[in-house]
Amino acid sequence: MTPRRVVIVGGGFAGLFAVRALRSAPVEVTLVDRCAHHLFQPLLYQCASGILSEGQIAQPLRAVLRRRPHVRCLLATATDVDVARRIVHAERPDGGQLELPYDDLIVGVGVRQSYFGHDEFARHATGMKTLSDALAVRAKLFRAFEMAEASSDPRERAQWLTFALVGGGPTGVELAGQIREIASHTLDREFSTIDPSQARVLLFDGSAAVLGAFGPVLSRRAARTLKDLGVEIHLDSIVTDVDAQGLTVRRKDGSVEQVRARTVLWTAGVEAPPLATALARATGAEQDRVGRIKVEPDLTIADHPEIRVVGDLMSLDDLPGLAEVAMQSGAYAGRRIRHAIEGRTARPRPFRYLDLGSAAYISRGNAVVKMGRFHASGLVGWLVWLCIHIVFLTGFRSRAGALLSWAVVFASGSRRERAFVSTARKSSAAPQGPWAGSSADPVGSGTEPGGSR
């Protein structure tokens, strides 16, 4: 019997959980991703802020799947789908073209950073969606303090010590808290000219609350914790321009303000990658306002039962862009294929998402957690956050290393991962050819807007 050919596009949580669900099925799986690693995206901000190394949040896909001989990994970017011939077209890093035939296709490439039609902002406002972004943010953060120390102009020094973050979702809140901790604790007594604790951290969001998806009570608690840390929160504020000197903000009352900040970080908004448009064009599928593919209750595309869209890229019942959604939808898609091979003829039950909650880390000993009716903040929230992320980190080495790093930071405020390259980096957040946008993402920690950690 010829094994059924299953192509999975995306090595994030959706893709890996689909592979796991197919482990006992007579299939040949081809896993295609533009990166050779599986990224624990919810902890990107901890890599960016020097708590964790890139090796602690990213595991080689081949190592993760080494015990699954029926899985073939390919480093390539899926660019199009020929639904008539059932072929996925992909491009290798060297520009070479691949044709990957399939009997079943699972698409879980995730979403990418959105600048809401202003991709030019990416030149000065680094996003937080890829490992390259995290390392670029780390360089910008620690370089800013070095530049302030070397400056003799008080006005320029103040600009280097001003950090502006756009987006009041989990990533923005978490980064804001980490920058204040770096300034107040990590860099304490390390500089002779500047006082890092005087650094300003400004958080801008167009809505009326930070962490709005967590509900009004937790949102207020998070805002209070941020303010206690020294973060300046600016709500109902729309960023209309970003340049090397800072950003321009339009307030709710129509007034416009220019904010001088040499470090601008972008954590607001997501959009579907080009593959989503290509897939919609090939299948006639509808897309939502950010380009995600609208799917049937069984995660298939209408009139194409052989194609399933999972994770952040699927649009179904307003589900948020959380890792847990990616995990459950990926596992569901894999099981549906396995059941079809086993000859189960009963009509499959529709996908049902079990909400296991969301969590956002703010500072040492402070996090907010929402799990159904259970809401927690402060130290209790932080302990729950810790347990969630230990469970879902991939690999013993990652868990052990992360625990040690968290213990060091919690006890002393010291951060071991502060190395950076001072040359300018081009953010991978903005669309840059066929290699833009791919992987999914993990629990309690998703993508904005609406996503949460």
Side-chain angles (χ1 to χ4, degrees), residues 27-96:
V27 295
E28 288 182 351
V29 177
T30 300
L31 180 66
V32 186
D33 198 287
R34 69 185 181 92
C35 298
H37 58 261
H38 166 71
L39 179 65
F40 197 96
Q41 207 172 42
L43 292 178
L44 270 177
Y45 73 96
Q46 294 211 359
C47 178
S49 58
I51 297 177
L52 301 179
S53 70
E54 52 269 39
Q56 290 170 315
I57 65 169
Q59 292 289 307
L61 280 170
R62 295 187 184 281
V64 174
L65 300 172
R66 64 187 180 278
R67 295 180 181 174
R68 305 196 186 279
H70 66 295
V71 180
R72 179 191 183 201
C73 293
L74 289 177
L75 180 64
T77 298
T79 57
D80 205 351
V81 179
D82 185 335
V83 295
R85 297 169 57 207
R86 296 197 177 187
I87 289 176
V88 173
H89 294 277
E91 182 176 324
R92 302 183 316 194
D94 64 357

Side-chain angles (χ1 to χ4, degrees), residues 42-50 113 126-129 133-134 137-138 141 163-167 169-183 201-203 226 229 231 263-268 360-363 415 448 453:
L43 292 178
L44 270 177
Y45 73 96
Q46 294 211 359
C47 178
S49 58
Q113 197 77 66
T126 307
M128 276 286 286
K129 297 300 291 180
D133 290 338
V137 169
R138 181 195 295 178
L141 292 181
F163 301 84
L165 294 93
V166 184
T171 302
V173 166
E174 289 166 334
L175 258 182
Q178 290 308 300
I179 296 172
R180 280 302 308 160
E181 289 209 322
I182 289 171
V201 179
L202 291 72
L203 182 62
L226 287 172
L229 287 171
V231 176
T263 303
V264 180
L265 305 176
W266 193 276
T267 63
Y361 178 109
I362 301 174
S363 63
R415 296 163 193 252
E448 274 74 56
R453 280 182 172 58

Side-chain angles (χ1 to χ4, degrees), residues 211-222:
L211 297 183
F214 283 69
V217 175
L218 290 181
S219 175
R220 285 195 297 269
R221 290 179 186 176

